[in-house]
Amino acid sequence: MTLDDLRAFTAICETGSLSAVARDLGCTQSAVSQRVRRLERELGVALLERQPRGVAPTPAGRILHRASADGLGSLDQALRHLRDLRQGDGGTVRVTTGATTVRHFMAAGVVEFRRRHPRVSLEFQTENSSRRCFEALAAGTADLAWITIGPPVRGVEQRPVMELPWVLAVRTDDPLATRAEIGADDLAGIRHIRLPENSISRLRLEEHLTRQGTEPVSTTSVADWDTAILLAELGLGHAVVPALPGWRDASEHPSEHPALRLIPIPSLPPLAAGWAVRQWEALSPVAVEFAETVAASLKP
């Protein structure tokens, strides 16, 4: 059993395709099949089974896939850290997060980190949900993930950095725009712009609204928080969103968003955001410093 055999098997489980893995590895499909057969001979069990489309792991294959995916991810991370040590003050920090996160949460931190470490490469990978961020961590394609903190996830450590109070985004000419704060009863009558599907923020919000007995009428759904706020500013509905660090309404800065009001909703518990990693103690020194720099930049 070799690491290359395990890497090929893991890739097959994740893609469901021998031919796709062969293309990625630059070899023939027969060579990929031989790697799997070598593992099956050594272990004495079948690891893959044919499906109408492609292949899937057997029960034994799923056991090996879980173990090999975790182990290979840790090994790849360790090898990258060793390369970083050889490079001295260089290296790479790979971050996965949502499409608008860098602007709202990391702008100041990135500038400060770049000032201190001009030779370190920062790589950002966009995902559309915390689940996809967790998958990137597990696959070893990211060192850090900025997420909405949610339930515990096996093999992932979550570290809250800040709490985001909920606000109602409305146009300045909306009847609710004159309110100092929004209560649960007010939310029952809004034209609700729903947050991204499968997102923790949407799950948390809908849990809170259900608990309060509030069921707003949904008008549309969006792919990110920014879009929800912009649609509200255009008068196309009301958006219940976390108060993002980079968004300010007309009451604070009239020239930036003259038609927008962000009104606090104190009855909704705040949403936590922060970092997720496989293991904090296994991060490279530059990755740890990047995470800490971003966190420090977000403190009031």
Side-chain angles (χ1 to χ4, degrees):
M1 182 184 301
T2 68
L3 285 176
D4 286 341
D5 294 343
L6 287 173
R7 291 185 194 279
F9 171 72
T10 299
I12 293 168
C13 291
E14 293 170 354
T15 62
S17 171
L18 292 167
S19 59
V21 173
R23 287 194 300 271
D24 290 343
L25 296 178
C27 62
T28 65
Q29 184 171 324
S30 175
V32 173
S33 297
Q34 289 175 14
R35 292 188 181 280
V36 177
R37 286 196 292 271
R38 187 157 51 229
L39 288 173
E40 291 177 326
R41 285 196 302 270
E42 185 167 342
L43 297 173
V45 292
L47 297 174
L48 295 175
E49 57 185 4
R50 292 284 179 182
Q51 297 286 322
R53 293 184 178 181
V55 296
T58 63
R62 288 195 291 271
I63 293 173
L64 180 61
H65 175 227
R66 285 195 296 268
S68 62
D70 289 345
L72 290 171
S74 297
L75 178 60
D76 288 341
Q77 189 175 55
L79 292 174
R80 287 195 305 275
H81 295 171
L82 291 174
R83 287 194 293 270
D84 289 347
L85 288 175
R86 289 200 307 270
Q87 294 173 7
D89 60 351
T92 301
V93 178
R94 301 172 308 162
V95 182
T96 181
T97 188
T100 62
T101 297
V102 174
R103 178 170 74 253
H104 289 305
F105 296 97
M106 297 186 192
V110 168
V111 171
E112 175 60 20
F113 182 83
R114 174 63 61 221
R115 184 187 65 79
R116 296 183 202 164
H117 300 282
R119 295 184 57 193
V120 173
S121 174
L122 293 175
E123 298 179 0
F124 294 95
Q125 172 183 334
T126 300
E127 298 292 355
N128 59 8
S129 68
S130 293
R131 180 180 60 81
R132 295 288 296 170
C133 289
F134 296 147
E135 291 173 357
L137 292 174
T141 59
D143 305 306
L144 294 157
W146 182 269
I147 61 162
T148 303
I149 302 297
V153 176
R154 186 181 69 87
V156 174
E157 298 180 24
Q158 301 182 55
R159 181 172 295 183
V161 171
M162 66 185 308
E163 288 191 336
L164 305 172
W166 292 94
V167 296
L168 180 68
V170 298
R171 277 184 60 88
T172 52
D173 57 4
D174 189 278
L176 292 173
T178 59
R179 301 286 297 273
E181 63 181 44
I182 298 295
D185 293 342
D186 299 314
L187 298 177
I190 69 173
R191 294 173 296 121
H192 187 47
I193 298 170
R194 302 185 76 184
L195 297 181
E197 190 174 4
N198 299 322
S199 67
I200 292 177
S201 58
R202 177 166 166 172
L203 175 64
R204 286 279 190 265
L205 176 60
E206 293 182 350
E207 286 177 349
H208 297 324
L209 295 180
T210 299
R211 196 174 299 122
Q212 294 179 352
T214 303
E215 295 184 6
V217 177
S218 297
T219 60
T220 187
S221 60
V222 295
D224 56 67
W225 298 341
D226 272 6
T227 304
I229 294 173
L230 289 172
L231 290 181
E233 186 176 8
L234 293 172
L236 301 179
H238 303 81
V240 180
V241 292
L244 303 177
W247 270 93
R248 296 174 293 191
D249 67 18
S251 64
E252 298 179 54
H253 291 268
S255 63
E256 291 188 13
H257 303 283
L260 180 69
R261 283 279 285 118
L262 301 175
I263 311 169
I265 311 174
S267 63
L268 295 180
L271 196 68
W275 290 114
V277 301
R278 286 173 61 89
Q279 286 184 306
W280 283 99
E281 62 184 19
L283 285 176
S284 68
V286 289
V288 171
E289 184 171 348
F290 178 78
E292 292 176 345
T293 301
V294 170
S297 72
L298 292 170
K299 291 181 180 177

